[in-house]
Amino acid sequence: MDSVSVHIVTFNSADDIEACLEAVNNQTHPIDQIVVVDNASNDDTVTIIKKWRDKNIHLPLQIVENKRNNGFAGGHNQAINQTKTDFSLILNPDVSLDPNYIRHILEVMNSSPSTGSATGKLYRDEKGMILDSTGIAIKKNRRAYDRGANEKDEGQWDEHTDLFGVSGAAAVYRRKMIEDISVNGQFFDETFFAYKEDVDVAWRAKLLGWKATFVPRAIALHQRGWKEEKKRSEIPLFIRHHSYINRYYMMVKNEKVSFLILHSPIIIFYEIASFFYAIMKERELLTVWKQMSTFSSMFEKRKQIQSRSIESANNIYRFFKGIW
């Protein structure tokens, strides 16, 4: 039977982590290892995890307590390095899995050795049948988004299909793919810290010939920040900087020049609109461009990635649909 590890990165996740762990414990496919990396929480997250571990001693749960916040990317890389299982489930602490989530996904992934990642149908509101994600899609302006987000589920996403990529909220990755596409020992690019690191992985995996798939029978509830809507101004500037600049990082690393030129009118229009939005609404976002030195490392990573690219550009860019 395929070995599976579950990786969870927490940061002030006291309200969610116990329900998340209970759902992992209830999986019908055996779990070989759980690794929780805590990014210096200042609430009761770690205490709750330890109490839960003491009650469920049959499950091998390892806790890594960071002294500082290493971000989503750094935290999950730490967890990945702790395991050697055939498959790794990257899981947000505010996600609760249906008991058959992993089993359904592995059934599909095992039927296709070139499938390196998979995700299920994530609900934002399960009772109201409001969707959160059915995988990552991307537009020609290079804006990635969650398919089906905020839609009422009326069966429109019930077809098993290949994707551009999978959301890092509840993503199963094949170990062989993790090892194949890692750059400088990092699966998730730690420069990203948080936001779009899963999009970067998806694009890189496409370049190196790996497929991503959506498994509609695999169900999960992802409550994320929707419980408490925040204004943009309430989100720390550090986080907004990453959300903004990481799009450019992933383009530098993964873009094919031929399709960058082909889609340039759409991209330029989007860039102009984004610039004027920043000037009018969030001028502080533009201060991130002072960190131009970071782009040199992105170009170095680009050389490594592009030198190993084996997938045809047409097969990659068929997933880039829509203008806005």
Side-chain angles (χ1 to χ4, degrees), residues 177-190:
M177 190 194 84
I178 290 174
E179 293 173 348
D180 183 46
I181 75 168
S182 292
V183 176
N184 299 333
Q186 295 181 4
F187 178 61
F188 290 111
D189 189 332
E190 294 180 18

Side-chain angles (χ1 to χ4, degrees), residues 119-120 133-137 145-148 163 165-167 214:
T119 191
S133 178
T134 63
I136 295 174
Y145 62 98
D146 286 297
R147 296 190 328 155
L163 300 165
V166 299
S167 167
F214 168 61

Side-chain angles (χ1 to χ4, degrees), residues 138-143 203 207 247-271 295 299 302 306 313-314 316-317 320:
I138 191 167
K139 294 183 179 291
K140 292 178 181 178
N141 60 11
R142 305 324 188 241
R143 183 177 70 84
W203 200 339
L207 288 165
R247 174 173 169 271
Y248 298 100
Y249 288 162
M250 71 179 188
M251 289 172 65
V252 169
K253 291 169 61 181
N254 303 302
E255 192 73 72
K256 291 290 187 182
V257 175
S258 57
F259 275 81
L260 179 65
I261 294 170
L262 181 65
H263 295 161
S264 59
I266 300 168
I267 295 171
I268 291 170
F269 180 77
Y270 181 82
E271 292 305 318
F295 278 91
F299 280 106
R302 174 183 176 80
Q306 297 295 332
N314 285 332
I316 296 169
Y317 284 90
F320 289 59

Side-chain angles (χ1 to χ4, degrees), residues 67-166:
K67 299 301 181 183
R68 63 182 180 86
N69 191 339
N70 284 342
F72 179 96
H76 275 297
N77 284 343
Q78 285 179 273
I80 287 169
N81 290 335
Q82 299 293 321
T83 63
K84 296 294 182 183
T85 50
D86 300 318
F87 295 91
S88 293
L89 169 61
I90 304 300
L91 187 63
N92 275 15
D94 56 358
V95 172
S96 295
L97 304 173
D98 177 84
N100 293 312
Y101 188 88
I102 294 175
R103 181 170 67 84
H104 286 321
I105 283 183
L106 292 191
E107 286 173 356
V108 172
M109 294 185 75
N110 279 327
S111 68
S112 173
S114 61
T115 298
S117 59
T119 191
K121 184 185 289 186
L122 276 57
Y123 286 98
R124 183 174 302 177
D125 175 1
E126 198 166 11
K127 290 183 179 178
M129 300 293 284
I130 304 301
L131 292 165
D132 180 73
S133 178
T134 63
I136 295 174
I138 191 167
K139 294 183 179 291
K140 292 178 181 178
N141 60 11
R142 305 324 188 241
R143 183 177 70 84
Y145 62 98
D146 286 297
R147 296 190 328 155
N150 211 30
E151 294 180 13
K152 185 177 179 61
D153 185 6
E154 297 178 336
Q156 69 272 37
W157 302 106
D158 281 353
E159 183 179 349
H160 166 236
T161 185
D162 285 344
L163 300 165
F164 173 74
V166 299

